[in-house]
Amino acid sequence: MQIAVIDDGHGMPPEVLCRATAPMFTTKAADKGTGLGLPMVLAFAQSSGGQLRIDSTPDEGTRVEIWLPRMGDSVEAEGATADCHGREAPPPTRAERATLLYVEDDDLARLALARMLREANYQVVEATGPDVALALTYAVPKLDAVILSLPTPDANSMALLRRLRQQHPRVPAVVLATRPPRHAQQGVPVLLKPVNNDELLAALDEQIINGRVMDPVDTSYLDRLIVRMRSPALLAALASWRDARGEHYLPTTAALKRMTAASEDWSFIVEPSGSEDAPAFRFVSIGPGLERQLGRTLSGQTLDGCDAGELVAMSAAYRRALRTGLPSYEFARYGLHDGPPVLFERLILPTSVAGRAVTHLLGLASFSNLAPMVPESPQ
């Protein structure tokens, strides 16, 4: 899809055309232009998997084209934006590649590192400083990570990151600094300049693959769950999850499994897959006690493709735990044939292989006899 805007005005000479999309560059008077219009259009096009092309000839006019992909396609438009050496910038290789916001006030350093990142298949939105970065965040619908390279990494970088996260919550970040920070922030790696390219790419991959940092846990929510629970095993499991969870990190799947080993017979592990909007869930393992209770094995089956009774009931809880990164607790009372009523409790605990993005859900089930207590006859 192409959107074109054409005029027959003065046009731009080559030395102006090659800088037209540079943030803060303008040929207008100081109080007439910000130099952010075309950079914001370029950022929008690239973050959407598209491209911006500008053709201009002095005294003839200018043609600006925005190329956007159809759903699932990437843009392969001829004549993408040309650089100052007359070379055409390559189109995106795939629409889903990660988008970075790179904040650097040194023009030469920014151009060199941005070129390396693009060659590594990242989409890069460049900003010359905090004000430009904040302006550009409104033009970029999705950011996968931020690179902050500021003269004083302690206060300035962290303050800017907090403001960027107001528009893009929990976006991961990597800080480039000339000296070690006095107060490092957990989950934000700091690389010292001159930066090794392989080290930077590894840090970005880790940040993006591991997912976005988690919000601090809502302790009042956990307290409400504790009040509702009756099973000592589930209470102990929730306490283990709470103790293992850091301020911004989930417990790892392996660590939480070790902590809840005493309840292994009645535990199960589910692995989510698919998109955030329509996730699928597959049973990775299920305890022998649960298998006996259900009378069947569920390992390898999907949540929607099996008849697991109590474990599949209230399936929205799985999606909620995946989306929020918080435990989910449900219970139900029902009768078994002619026997006493039973209380079924189920606790779902989100975990992560690397500590950030939810990669597995560890569940525990409990079946309690609700038969009323019969007082003993006096002796």
Side-chain angles (χ1 to χ4, degrees), residues 64-65 77 101 141 167 180 298:
V64 179
E65 299 174 355
L101 174 63
Q167 182 67 20
L298 299 177

Side-chain angles (χ1 to χ4, degrees), residues 230-275:
R230 289 187 53 174
S231 167
L234 267 60
L235 285 166
L238 180 60
S240 297
W241 185 92
R242 186 175 191 168
D243 293 341
R245 190 192 191 281
E247 182 180 359
H248 296 288
Y249 296 88
L250 288 168
T252 63
T253 308
L256 192 61
K257 190 175 180 180
R258 288 194 300 270
M259 294 177 190
T260 58
S263 305
E264 186 175 2
D265 273 5
W266 299 93
S267 69
F268 58 95
I269 295 179
V270 175
E271 183 179 40
S273 62
S275 66

Side-chain angles (χ1 to χ4, degrees), residues 268 270 281 303 311 315-322 346 348 361:
F268 58 95
V270 175
F281 299 92
L303 196 66
L311 294 190
S315 59
Y318 293 86
R319 295 190 294 273
R320 182 167 61 250
L322 175 64
R346 182 186 64 187
I348 299 174
L361 300 174

Side-chain angles (χ1 to χ4, degrees), residues 7 12 22 28 41 73 91-92 125 159 163 200 219 222 238-239 241 250 268 278 281 293 295 302 313 322 334 339 346:
D7 69 28
M12 291 181 280
K28 299 178 181 178
V41 175
D73 292 344
V125 179
R163 295 183 67 186
L200 174 59
T219 56
L222 300 184
L238 180 60
W241 185 92
L250 288 168
F268 58 95
F281 299 92
Q293 178 75 26
T302 61
L322 175 64
Y334 57 92
R346 182 186 64 187

Side-chain angles (χ1 to χ4, degrees), residues 32-48:
K32 299 297 183 181
T34 63
L36 292 176
L38 284 174
M40 294 176 71
V41 175
L42 175 63
F44 166 77
Q46 291 181 340
S47 65
S48 302

